[in-house]
Short mmCIF file of all heavy atoms in Angstrom, two decimals:
data_model
loop_
_atom_site.label_atom_id
_atom_site.label_comp_id
_atom_site.label_asym_id
_atom_site.label_seq_id
_atom_site.Cartn_x
_atom_site.Cartn_y
_atom_site.Cartn_z
N LYS C 61 76.31 84.09 104.65
CA LYS C 61 75.44 85.12 105.23
C LYS C 61 75.93 85.50 106.62
O LYS C 61 76.41 84.66 107.37
CB LYS C 61 74.02 84.55 105.37
CG LYS C 61 73.17 84.79 104.13
CD LYS C 61 71.72 84.57 104.48
CE LYS C 61 71.02 83.78 103.39
NZ LYS C 61 69.74 83.26 103.85
N PRO C 62 75.81 86.76 107.00
CA PRO C 62 76.20 87.16 108.35
C PRO C 62 75.31 86.48 109.38
O PRO C 62 74.12 86.28 109.15
CB PRO C 62 75.98 88.67 108.35
CG PRO C 62 75.08 88.96 107.20
CD PRO C 62 75.32 87.88 106.20
N THR C 63 75.91 86.14 110.47
CA THR C 63 75.13 85.48 111.50
C THR C 63 74.25 86.49 112.22
O THR C 63 74.42 87.70 112.10
CB THR C 63 76.07 84.82 112.53
OG1 THR C 63 76.80 85.85 113.19
CG2 THR C 63 77.02 83.86 111.85
N ARG C 64 73.34 85.99 112.98
CA ARG C 64 72.42 86.86 113.70
C ARG C 64 73.19 87.75 114.70
O ARG C 64 72.88 88.92 114.87
CB ARG C 64 71.41 85.99 114.46
CG ARG C 64 70.33 86.79 115.15
CD ARG C 64 69.50 85.89 116.00
NE ARG C 64 68.69 84.99 115.18
CZ ARG C 64 67.35 85.02 115.17
NH1 ARG C 64 66.72 85.83 115.95
NH2 ARG C 64 66.67 84.22 114.42
N ASP C 65 74.22 87.18 115.31
CA ASP C 65 75.01 87.94 116.27
C ASP C 65 75.70 89.12 115.61
O ASP C 65 75.75 90.22 116.15
CB ASP C 65 76.05 87.03 116.93
CG ASP C 65 75.42 86.20 118.03
OD1 ASP C 65 74.28 86.52 118.42
OD2 ASP C 65 76.06 85.25 118.50
N GLU C 66 76.23 88.84 114.40
CA GLU C 66 76.92 89.91 113.68
C GLU C 66 75.96 91.03 113.34
O GLU C 66 76.30 92.20 113.45
CB GLU C 66 77.55 89.33 112.41
CG GLU C 66 78.90 88.68 112.69
CD GLU C 66 79.42 87.94 111.48
OE1 GLU C 66 78.64 87.70 110.55
OE2 GLU C 66 80.59 87.60 111.49
N LEU C 67 74.76 90.66 112.92
CA LEU C 67 73.76 91.65 112.58
C LEU C 67 73.37 92.46 113.82
O LEU C 67 73.24 93.68 113.78
CB LEU C 67 72.51 90.96 112.01
CG LEU C 67 72.63 90.51 110.56
CD1 LEU C 67 71.41 89.71 110.17
CD2 LEU C 67 72.77 91.70 109.62
N LEU C 68 73.25 91.78 114.91
CA LEU C 68 72.85 92.42 116.16
C LEU C 68 73.93 93.40 116.62
O LEU C 68 73.66 94.53 117.02
CB LEU C 68 72.65 91.34 117.23
CG LEU C 68 71.52 91.62 118.22
CD1 LEU C 68 70.17 91.60 117.52
CD2 LEU C 68 71.54 90.57 119.33
N GLU C 69 75.19 92.97 116.50
CA GLU C 69 76.31 93.81 116.88
C GLU C 69 76.32 95.09 116.06
O GLU C 69 76.55 96.17 116.57
CB GLU C 69 77.61 93.02 116.63
CG GLU C 69 78.61 93.19 117.76
CD GLU C 69 79.74 92.21 117.60
OE1 GLU C 69 80.70 92.54 116.90
OE2 GLU C 69 79.65 91.10 118.13
N ASP C 70 76.06 94.90 114.76
CA ASP C 70 76.02 96.02 113.84
C ASP C 70 74.95 97.01 114.27
O ASP C 70 75.13 98.22 114.27
CB ASP C 70 75.73 95.49 112.44
CG ASP C 70 76.69 96.09 111.43
OD1 ASP C 70 77.80 96.45 111.84
OD2 ASP C 70 76.33 96.18 110.26
N LEU C 71 73.83 96.48 114.66
CA LEU C 71 72.69 97.29 115.04
C LEU C 71 72.98 98.05 116.33
O LEU C 71 72.72 99.23 116.46
CB LEU C 71 71.48 96.36 115.24
CG LEU C 71 70.13 96.95 114.86
CD1 LEU C 71 70.03 97.10 113.35
CD2 LEU C 71 69.02 96.04 115.36
N MET C 72 73.57 97.34 117.28
CA MET C 72 73.86 97.94 118.58
C MET C 72 74.88 99.06 118.46
O MET C 72 74.86 100.02 119.21
CB MET C 72 74.42 96.86 119.53
CG MET C 72 73.47 95.71 119.72
SD MET C 72 72.36 95.95 121.10
CE MET C 72 73.31 95.20 122.40
N ASP C 73 75.78 98.89 117.48
CA ASP C 73 76.88 99.84 117.32
C ASP C 73 76.37 101.27 117.14
O ASP C 73 76.86 102.19 117.77
CB ASP C 73 77.70 99.42 116.10
CG ASP C 73 79.17 99.36 116.47
OD1 ASP C 73 79.45 99.34 117.68
OD2 ASP C 73 80.00 99.32 115.55
#
Side-chain angles (χ1 to χ4, degrees):
K61 270 196 223 165
T63 64
R64 185 187 291 244
D65 280 347
E66 277 171 346
L67 282 173
L68 215 66
E69 223 170 87
D70 228 27
L71 214 70
M72 302 270 269
D73 230 16

